[in-house]
Amino acid sequence: MFRLLAFCLMLAASGTLSAQEETAEPAGPIYYTMTPDIITNYQNSGQNLGYVRVAVDLMLERPEQLPLVESNMPLLRDALNDLLAEKSRQEIRSMPARAALADEGRQRLNDLLLQETGQTPVRRLLFTSFLYQ
């Protein structure tokens, strides 16, 4: 009888721990994919315009900042669109310049979010696809 009671208590305790583990949110960063891709023109040589299409993921500091970013998405998309349109052909096509472009984009998004919400949630801006013509 004692063994049966001990077994039942172990099962109940393990079920409680499993339920607590499943409901806990991740404490670390979270990724948000901006959809659809950002498509814009950039300054090419002379009168010609170049074309760039980028897929962007944002690494956010904490999961609870996701609604803040989603509610300001039109502002953030516009800022990235403007940033890409300001760049020259060399800045778009150069790999080292692309890393600087991601840092500049992160800083611009955080500056806008700081003005609008008082927070700077974007830890990194990642270009998961970068196509140009």
Side-chain angles (χ1 to χ4, degrees), residues 78-130:
D78 181 62
L80 289 178
N81 195 13
D82 289 347
L83 177 65
L84 291 167
E86 294 168 2
K87 298 303 172 186
S88 68
R89 178 181 181 193
Q90 292 79 15
E91 291 170 307
I92 293 289
R93 295 182 177 207
S94 166
M95 288 301 283
R98 233 182 264 175
L101 181 64
D103 287 338
E104 187 178 348
R106 178 194 51 80
Q107 185 62 47
R108 192 173 286 196
L109 296 185
N110 276 333
D111 289 346
L112 285 170
L113 288 169
L114 183 62
Q115 290 174 0
E116 294 296 318
T117 66
Q119 295 185 39
T120 57
V122 181
R123 184 187 295 180
R124 288 191 64 194
L125 185 145
L126 306 156
F127 294 120
T128 53
S129 175
F130 202 102

Side-chain angles (χ1 to χ4, degrees), residues 39-43 49-52 81 84-87:
I39 303 168
T40 191
N41 292 316
Y42 65 92
Q43 296 297 318
L49 289 176
Y51 162 90
V52 63
N81 195 13
L84 291 167
E86 294 168 2
K87 298 303 172 186

Side-chain angles (χ1 to χ4, degrees), residues 32 34 38 58 68-82 108-110 112-113 122:
Y32 177 80
M34 295 176 73
I38 296 175
L58 302 176
L68 175 117
V69 170
E70 287 176 330
S71 65
N72 288 286
M73 192 49 60
L75 180 67
L76 302 180
R77 290 182 62 80
D78 181 62
L80 289 178
N81 195 13
D82 289 347
R108 192 173 286 196
L109 296 185
N110 276 333
L112 285 170
L113 288 169
V122 181

